[in-house]
Amino acid sequence: MTTILTIVLSVVLSAQMDSTQLWIGDQTGLHLEATASEGEQIAFPVFNQKIQDGIEVVEQGKIDTTQTPDGRTVYHQDLVVTSFKDSLFYIQPLPFVVNGDTMRTNSLSLNVIQPFEMDTTDAITDIKPVMKPKIWWWGIFRWVLLAILIAGLAVGGYFLGKWLKRVLKKEEAEPIDPETLRPCDEVALEKLDKIKEEKVWQTGEHKKYFSELTFVIREYIGRRYDVHSTEKTSDDTLAAMKPILVAEDRKDLYLKLESMLRLADLVKFAKWSPMPDESEVSLASAYTFVKETAPAPETTEQSNEENSSQQ
């Protein structure tokens, strides 16, 4: 690999090849690179299929940029070149346009070798006529057998899947959680009563208290309004609940829910230490929210009957 740098003021130009020797018709990489400070204008050379006579451009990649630790920009372009001429080439320095001036990279060399000798003593003969290839019957037979085998496996897999599906349907269904058969407001109020009895906030365990309190409310919202609050952030929960509560003309409940969730987030994530009355107000807001949004009794009974029938 050959690498020589040409430094022009704050711009560094570089040209290098993966290999300086290759067989005729083979390909090698040519890498152009320019390192410049901020504000420098760099224009790479444009090749029209050839770099010079005897050296052809097979592929010219896009110009990529990276940043150096000292804030400079490195421009890089990869090319693929080849040659069909047995010769030792001297590649002239490649021209870049830097801030309106032409600057050049280092020069390169490429030795292209003919790997075999051509016998020029033989007389030129006519091209042989087109030959009709023989039919490879054994190969065709093997491909047919393979196709039949694959088709058989596909059909067998289909029927096996149907059989397994029938077997799995016969297995005993997972038992339904009894808690889901009870009214959602009844379950939520029972859990709030437990939190109230434990009075965790009085022992300084504010994070545990608000985590349990908001989980009860989020779980209740999920069952009551089909809003999966336990999987949402407070902002997403409030965004989902606002149109519901506003439509029910219960903006006051929305404000209580917002205050409770915002305070809980401060305690859980910002290590906020709430006042004792703030903890009690949040618990009272939770009670109010559940009681005032509880479904009508007939709706609850209908839901229980549907769950019982599913069981």
Side-chain angles (χ1 to χ4, degrees):
M1 181 179 295
T2 302
T3 305
I4 302 176
L5 303 181
T6 301
I7 304 178
V8 180
L9 298 178
S10 59
V11 178
V12 179
L13 304 179
S14 171
Q16 60 181 11
M17 301 187 72
D18 290 340
S19 176
T20 59
Q21 180 173 294
L22 69 156
W23 285 1
I24 190 169
D26 280 354
Q27 300 176 359
T28 187
L30 172 60
H31 309 285
L32 304 181
E33 187 174 282
T35 303
S37 302
E38 183 178 357
E40 301 284 357
Q41 300 296 323
I42 305 293
F44 275 60
V46 178
F47 303 105
N48 185 17
Q49 297 182 341
K50 292 183 179 182
I51 293 179
Q52 63 185 52
D53 287 340
I55 300 180
E56 300 181 11
V57 177
V58 179
E59 181 179 344
Q60 187 168 354
K62 296 181 179 180
I63 299 174
D64 298 324
T65 60
T66 57
Q67 296 293 325
T68 63
D70 59 357
R72 306 185 74 192
T73 303
V74 179
Y75 303 86
H76 184 85
Q77 185 182 35
D78 294 328
L79 298 91
V80 178
V81 298
T82 187
S83 177
F84 298 96
K85 184 178 180 180
D86 180 8
S87 179
L88 174 61
F89 293 95
Y90 171 75
I91 302 176
Q92 298 287 341
L94 303 176
F96 282 66
V97 178
V98 180
N99 298 326
D101 296 328
T102 300
M103 307 298 178
R104 298 183 182 275
T105 66
N106 50 282
S107 61
L108 299 169
S109 63
L110 179 63
N111 187 20
V112 182
I113 303 172
Q114 172 66 265
F116 52 87
E117 294 183 2
M118 298 181 63
D119 190 356
T120 59
T121 60
D122 288 345
I124 299 176
T125 57
D126 292 336
I127 299 174
K128 292 184 178 181
V130 177
M131 296 179 62
K132 187 176 181 180
K134 296 181 180 180
I135 299 176
W136 187 32
W137 293 107
W138 169 238
I140 295 175
F141 181 67
R142 286 194 301 176
W143 281 109
V144 171
L145 285 179
L146 179 61
I148 294 173
L149 177 61
I150 293 174
L153 290 174
V155 173
Y158 171 75
F159 286 106
L160 178 62
K162 292 188 66 174
W163 177 78
L164 288 174
K165 189 175 181 180
R166 288 197 300 269
V167 171
L168 292 174
K169 282 185 178 180
K170 294 180 181 179
E171 291 182 358
E172 189 177 28
E174 292 183 4
I176 299 176
D177 185 0
E179 188 173 274
T180 60
L181 301 177
R182 299 170 55 199
C184 57
D185 56 315
E186 179 181 313
V187 174
L189 291 173
E190 183 177 290
K191 292 183 177 181
L192 290 176
D193 289 338
K194 183 178 179 181
I195 293 175
K196 183 178 180 181
E197 292 173 3
E198 293 177 350
K199 297 182 178 181
V200 176
W201 73 89
Q202 295 183 358
T203 61
E205 296 182 83
H206 301 297
K207 183 175 181 180
K208 178 182 177 182
Y209 166 73
F210 278 95
S211 295
E212 294 176 350
L213 179 64
T214 53
F215 182 81
V216 172
I217 296 302
R218 289 175 181 275
E219 189 179 56
Y220 170 76
I221 289 174
R223 293 190 59 194
R224 176 66 179 87
Y225 295 101
D226 199 26
V227 174
H228 302 292
S229 180
T230 55
E231 303 172 4
K232 297 179 179 290
T233 63
S234 296
D235 289 338
D236 293 339
T237 298
L238 292 170
M241 290 301 300
K242 186 174 183 178
I244 297 174
L245 296 175
V246 170
E248 296 178 357
D249 197 22
R250 300 312 307 269
K251 187 177 180 181
D252 57 329
L253 289 181
Y254 172 79
L255 295 177
K256 290 180 183 293
L257 177 63
E258 181 182 32
S259 177
M260 176 176 54
L261 293 180
R262 298 296 187 200
L263 179 59
D265 285 349
L266 287 174
V267 174
K268 292 189 292 183
F269 306 117
K271 299 182 179 180
W272 180 268
S273 296
M275 301 297 293
D277 58 333
E278 290 181 314
S279 301
E280 295 175 357
V281 168
S282 294
L283 181 60
S285 297
Y287 272 107
T288 302
F289 183 87
V290 173
K291 290 178 180 179
E292 295 192 19
T293 59
E298 55 270 21
T299 304
T300 303
E301 292 175 1
Q302 182 180 1
S303 176
N304 289 341
E305 290 175 1
E306 292 176 356
N307 289 332
S308 298
S309 63
Q310 292 176 0
Q311 189 179 20

